[in-house]
Amino acid sequence: MTKQQAEKKTVKFETEVSKLLDIVANSLYTEKEIFLRELISNSSDACEKLRYVSQTNSSLNKTSQFEIRIHLNEKNKTITIKDNGIGMNEEDMKSNLGTIAKSGTEEFIKKMGDKKGDITQIGKFGVGFYSSFMVSDQVLVRSKKYDSKESFLWTSDGKGTFSIESTEYNSQGTEITLSIKKDESEFLSKYKIEDIVKKYSDFVPFPIFVSSEDDKKEKKDKENKEDKETQVNSAEAIWLKEKSKIKEEDYKNFYNQTSSFYDEPLKTIHFKAEGVVNYTSLLFLPKSQPQDLYHPDRKNNLKLYVNKIFISDKLDALIPAWLRFIPGVVDTEDLSLNISREILQNNAVINKIATALTKRVLKEISELKKKKPDEFISFWKNFGPVVKEGLYEFNDFHDQIFDFTMFNCSEKEEMITLNEYISDYPNDKKKIYYISGENKENLMNSPQMELFKNKKINVLLVTDPVDEFWMPMKMKFKDFEFTSITKGEVDIGDSSKKDMKTKETKEVSDFIVYLKEHLKEKVKDVKVSKRLTTSASCLVADENDMDMHLKKLMAANNQNINDEKRILEINIDHSLVSKVQMLEKDQKDKFSEILYDHAKLMEGENLDDPKKYTNLITELVSL
Ligand code: ADP
Ligand code: MG
């Protein structure tokens, strides 16, 4: 042989992979059988990829029949999974089977730490291939890529390194051989494997055959019998079947296959659209969050097919990023098979489908809220903050999103919608008041809430950071204006004026002027507060400045923000304030700082010198 042989190279797994392998292999969970689902789905992906490539590249020989074959050898204790898909070259093996490109995996590993894992969590990352090490102590991968003459062998015992070398593999595609661990020999039973295939992979669109050494022997014994293996899966495109012919369980299985969730979907959305664009769609609302939901690299989870032929997944244009948690498929006849992926991102048909899908999904969510409020609330807790990202961007869906967007509020235990706010708690000023912060309880206790609580004016208690971004931008819902109560002046309408107990006397305005001057390093302005009833002082942002809590959020994320000073508001009816006001000049200089520190404490902030503050208070009390 003159062909140059690649030297055998042993390579260390990336650190993340090593840690992950450890977690995967040593976790004590019950569903080890999912390794097969993962390998089959990789084979299926490989076949779909090759089918796509040969559709778009006419110079290639078209593979006539894609298939996945599983073979069991009880004597050697091996399972082999073989496909005639796209295959891998040396580089593919190195990067696909040695690293984890998956978004969110790193965080996941950190989270898992040394804990014994739970496969439902692992599955969410599609760390698929590595799950082979749950049941085997050695994995061999032989593969020949569709456009290459060379073939390679990848081996690993899953304990830190893998190696790649040249090999003689004469088929096109990939063959994975698992040496089954002693304790896992149940996976060498043909019945067991057939069961697993039916359970998890029934709708894989290529035929899956299962055979064992025994079958071979039998065949030899009955020499004349035809060599006919039976296909184990149905290989149907479930989304094209008539709804009445699909069982709940089929939907669940398909959901599990496409999403890597292991439970049932919260809601199945299956429909056929005919008209401007024609497509069939099968989508799911999940019950729980995928781990990487907020990871910047997280893409959507929809697959695009043209007449049952897989074209692309994670296509950004197919559904807005704020619905990225929805798994499923979209199949259309209105696209050409040869369309390139670049063109797909900016294609009129895709854009129309995206708009229609979005409308439909939002309608289904509204429906869920009406018909199953409890389920909706759990959905909303998981995905509300993501859907609300849709309010932060310019689009035509705001009204639909507002239909079910819910908020905590100060005047009612349960969450309410904006429509309920404006119909059940209208106010003279046509405002939707809100306050933002860490949690409901803190917000209810904020000094800025005092007047609103007294007057029973409802205030939305906003704790999802995303709200703080769209609310100031959106400005209005119907003709009600979003108004932060920690910013600018309070204006709760005419009725409040009559109640203003104290008129600003000359003494008061002198005191304000004094405080402004004295605290000018610390605050932008000092004002007599209209919003305080029980606290002595509080801080608010100036009308055109960034709101206080948003500023804290940004700072916590190392965002560069203008450090504008805030406004100090004082309650001139408060004894602490009048006490300071009455002091002699030099005493006043000493004690007026208390009013600022007090306001900072009310904001839950740390004082530069807490000891000084306490000493001053003690001293003031005994004056
Ligand atoms: P995922 O399938 O989510 O990408 P996996 O860990 O299951 O993650 O697989 C990693 C990668 O290895 C795949 O993306 C693919 O590139 C490659 N791969 C795995 N199995 C095969 C196969 N049978 N044929 C071709 N490539 C494969
Ligand atoms: Mg996979």
Side-chain angles (χ1 to χ4, degrees), residues 38 41-42 45 126 128-129:
E38 294 299 328
S41 96
N42 285 350
D45 290 349
F129 172 73

Side-chain angles (χ1 to χ4, degrees), residues 42-43 45-46 49 83 86-88 96-97 102 126-129 174:
N42 285 350
S43 286
D45 290 349
K49 281 178 199 158
D83 64 66
I86 195 151
M88 282 178 277
N96 299 338
L97 307 181
K102 281 280 138 33
V127 290
F129 172 73
T174 303

Side-chain angles (χ1 to χ4, degrees), residues 179-195:
S179 299
I180 297 299
K181 287 180 185 169
K182 259 208 217 101
D183 301 346
E184 311 295 347
S185 52
E186 57 170 325
F187 295 116
L188 294 166
S189 139
K190 193 178 167 194
Y191 295 110
K192 174 86 185 173
I193 293 294
E194 284 181 350
D195 268 358

